[in-house]
Amino acid sequence: ASPVSTPQASPTPTKATTPPAPESPEAPAPRDPTTSDGAKDFDWRRAEEDLGGGPAAPFVSSGSSQSPGSSDADPALSEPRSVQADNPSAPTDWEVERAGVRLADVGGMTEVKNRLEASFLAPMRNPELRRLYGKSLRGGLLLYGPPGTGKTFIARAVAGEMGAGFLSVTISDILDPYIGNSEANLHNIFQQARDHSPCVLFLDELDAIGLKRSMMTYSAGLRGVVNQLLEELDGIGADNEGVYLLAATNAPWDIDPALRRPGRLDRAILVLPPDEPARTAILHTHLRDRPVEGIDLRGLARATEGLTGADLSHLCDSAAEKALMDS
């Protein structure tokens, strides 16, 4: 069989540029990166400055009629939750796995690793220093950035670094068409993590289950899910000791501000497409079990600036497919 030929890298995407100064305070923000026409010119660094790495500012205005002095209480909290009589919610066991990767397996991304070390890993490894400086491990960590940058892989690596279990949850594990079942699913998931502590609980696509309640005027069911998530994070009636919450999203500005107040998801890290060392490591991983004689990995990494980990995986698969057909 002939060796895999050097893949032709797609043209280097144009670097995002900072939009010109708005003409008025009401000028629109950069395009939404979750849409196809906004992915190319969205400025994630500007979004990082706007979002900040800490908790959401108190009394964030999100277009609702809630006054600045009011609490996080929501009208839906006082509404009784009913469960469909002919479809009772049965507890489900979610698999808590052992992560087989560590941060050393994440190529490059030095800035992300340093922030993970300072906010999460170093205090956990040094309990005496943590007590001395009064550093609390309460709260969680929000990973945000464009799609395909490896946020799930980083969360798994954090669990491996901690020697903790890893419980990955998607919206399909939580949302249920019957009233009250979604809240019950969320409670059972947190209880499963508590029963297997120490455990890293990873919530993917957080914006789907933690959307701003002011944007849910006609969706009382989703409001109940957000309220339940807030209740679980506060550990009401349960102890969250040993449960480390990580979440990922492509749209952090759509997350309810109450989720990002201190003690909840109060730390945020921007995960951008991999830098050159990371691209080299990713390409090596995907090509190491294939015939790759004559491929210059470093040159290929330089030529693929701006591509995500998912893009690089697809690039290697496409090159192998063409070489296989040639053979």
Side-chain angles (χ1 to χ4, degrees):
S2 61
V4 176
S5 57
T6 304
Q8 295 295 321
S10 54
T12 303
T14 304
K15 292 184 178 179
T17 56
T18 304
E23 296 179 359
S24 66
E26 291 77 19
R31 292 185 184 181
D32 186 348
T34 59
T35 60
S36 59
D37 62 343
K40 292 182 179 179
D41 55 0
F42 188 81
D43 192 338
W44 278 101
R45 286 298 183 186
R46 176 179 169 185
E48 182 183 30
E49 294 175 2
D50 293 340
L51 186 72
F59 314 129
V60 173
S61 174
S62 54
S64 66
S65 58
Q66 184 176 348
S67 62
S70 62
S71 67
D72 289 339
D74 188 273
L77 283 172
S78 59
E79 300 174 1
R81 292 196 300 248
S82 61
V83 180
Q84 190 79 3
D86 58 349
N87 187 46
S89 175
T92 304
D93 285 337
W94 285 267
E95 182 181 357
V96 178
E97 56 183 291
R98 288 291 167 183
V101 295
R102 304 186 66 173
L103 282 181
D105 299 310
V106 180
M109 297 192 178
T110 305
E111 182 180 350
V112 172
K113 291 178 182 177
N114 289 341
R115 295 188 66 183
L116 282 171
E117 185 72 24
S119 63
F120 221 69
L121 297 174
M124 184 214 64
R125 291 197 196 98
N126 299 275
E128 293 183 3
L129 287 176
R130 185 172 73 240
R131 287 192 295 268
L132 178 64
Y133 287 97
K135 172 67 175 175
S136 172
L137 287 179
R138 279 184 57 83
L141 185 68
L142 177 66
L143 303 171
Y144 69 99
T149 52
K151 295 183 285 293
T152 303
F153 186 78
I154 291 174
R156 193 181 298 273
V158 169
E161 199 73 25
M162 298 169 64
F166 184 71
L167 177 56
S168 180
V169 179
T170 62
I171 57 174
S172 61
D173 296 319
I174 297 174
L175 299 185
D176 190 283
Y178 295 102
I179 296 175
N181 282 11
S182 299
E183 292 92 325
N185 287 340
L186 194 57
H187 173 73
N188 292 335
I189 287 168
F190 269 84
Q191 192 58 49
Q192 186 88 346
R194 296 180 187 116
D195 292 342
H196 291 81
S197 64
C199 179
V200 170
L201 175 57
F202 179 64
L203 300 179
D204 201 6
E205 305 295 346
L206 181 67
D207 51 286
I209 59 174
L211 189 67
K212 290 179 180 177
R213 285 168 289 180
S214 60
M215 300 170 64
M216 301 180 186
T217 308
Y218 303 104
S219 181
L222 284 178
R223 293 171 73 94
V225 173
V226 178
N227 293 332
Q228 183 68 36
L229 181 56
L230 294 173
E231 190 174 308
E232 297 296 337
L233 289 175
D234 288 334
I236 298 177
D239 185 8
N240 283 339
E241 184 69 27
V243 176
Y244 307 98
L245 181 68
L246 270 67
T249 180
N250 302 327
W253 41 83
D254 288 341
I255 294 175
D256 195 285
L259 280 171
R260 298 204 52 226
R261 74 125 168 96
R264 293 171 181 164
L265 289 167
D266 50 13
R267 285 157 286 184
I269 294 180
L270 173 62
V271 183
L272 290 173
D275 50 20
E276 187 174 324
R279 292 196 300 274
T280 302
I282 292 170
L283 288 167
H284 178 267
T285 298
H286 288 295
L287 294 175
R288 63 187 174 188
D289 295 326
R290 290 164 168 160
V292 291
E293 294 80 22
I295 288 185
D296 180 9
L297 280 182
R298 292 185 178 179
L300 189 57
R302 287 193 298 270
T304 52
E305 181 180 357
L307 297 192
T308 66
D311 295 332
L312 294 171
S313 174
H314 178 70
L315 185 69
C316 295
D317 289 342
S318 300
E321 181 180 289
K322 291 181 180 180
L324 183 148
M325 294 307 297
D326 288 343
S327 298

